[in-house]
């Protein structure tokens, strides 16, 4: 079956270790789309920090943000599964007590409650300035967020999450990096968003290749006809992939494109 659509994770997959698009990657994407193929990405990033990659790749088609809770196109949010920040207020309070950093993602920015080394690293990586909230102020609780990330020791994060079982049915939560725990509205994921896009474009699952490196990419790889893990991927993702690249990051994407899309 011919691959008509390629969807790739960004950080740790399509991007270099420096979180950049390399020239060979941009050229390969351009060549694939020139032949009539479709290319898009699925990332945990919000529109604020992902829009530049859309422009560099000149996508012209929907792409997946916030790990599936947002679908955007041409710099505009088309669909968003948001929730009130106050709905996880108790969880965030316990996270703060446990010395974890919380990041609230809204359409107008990324918000935190305090400066920290984790916040600095995030700002450096994403090239964005986080906006500080007053934890004691109730106004932020009335705002809708697209997702929340807790950053810190994963064993501590899991303990805090386990304390709030009543919210588990309402939210999807998963590990996306070694120290990232992402919380979104229930039923949202990269795989779910990919299915929506494929149905809109009338593309069969067998005509899709999906690539990733972390466990938040798993259901996207499972939905696609060919699920690819780059060499630097999480071992559990590699175990579920149809193909594991010998190369890492963007070089792995080029390897898979050469193998399955020429």
């Amino acid at each position: 079956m011919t691959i008509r659509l390629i969807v790739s994770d960004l950080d740790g997959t399509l991007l270099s270790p420096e979180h950049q698009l390399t020239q060979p990657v941009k050229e390969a994407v351009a060549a694939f789309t020139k032949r009539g193929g479709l290319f898009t990405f699925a990332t945990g990033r919000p529109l604020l920090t992902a829009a530049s990659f859309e422009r560099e790749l000149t996508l012209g088609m929907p792409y997946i943000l916030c790990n599936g809770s947002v679908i955007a196109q041409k710099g505009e949010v088309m669909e968003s599964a948001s929730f009130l920040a106050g709905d996880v207020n108790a969880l965030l309070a316990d996270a703060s007590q446990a010395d974890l950093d919380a990041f609230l993602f809204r359409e107008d920015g990324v918000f935190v409650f305090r400066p920290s080394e984790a916040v600095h690293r995030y700002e450096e990586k994403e090239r964005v300035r986080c906006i500080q909230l007053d934890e004691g102020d109730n106004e932020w609780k009335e705002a809708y967020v697209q997702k929340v990330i807790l950053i810190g020791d994963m064993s501590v994060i899991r303990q805090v999450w386990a304390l709030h079982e009543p919210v588990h049915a309402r939210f999807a939560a998963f590990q996306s990096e070694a120290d990232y725990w992402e919380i979104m509205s229930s039923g949202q994921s990269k795989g779910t968003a990919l299915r929506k896009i494929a149905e809109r474009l009338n593309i069969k699952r067998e005509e899709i290749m999906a690539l990733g490196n972390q466990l938040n990419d798993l259901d996207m790889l499972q939905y696609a006809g060919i699920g690819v893990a780059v060499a630097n991927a999480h071992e559990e993702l590699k175990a579920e992939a149809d193909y594991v690249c010998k190369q890492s990051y963007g070089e792995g994407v080029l390897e898979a494109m050469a193998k399955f899309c020429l």
Side-chain angles (χ1 to χ4, degrees), residues 63-76:
Y63 49 97
I64 299 164
L65 304 171
C66 293
N67 281 313
S69 67
V70 176
I71 297 176
Q73 186 172 11
K74 297 180 180 178
E76 299 289 337

Side-chain angles (χ1 to χ4, degrees), residues 11-12 30 37 41 46 51 68-69 72 92 97 120 122 135 137 141 147 152 160 190 198 207 210 221 231:
D11 296 284
F41 58 73
S69 67
L92 294 177
Q97 287 294 314
H120 176 71
Y122 179 86
E135 196 169 359
D137 187 355
K141 301 174 187 176
K147 71 171 183 175
V160 171
K190 289 186 179 182
E207 299 172 319
L221 268 61

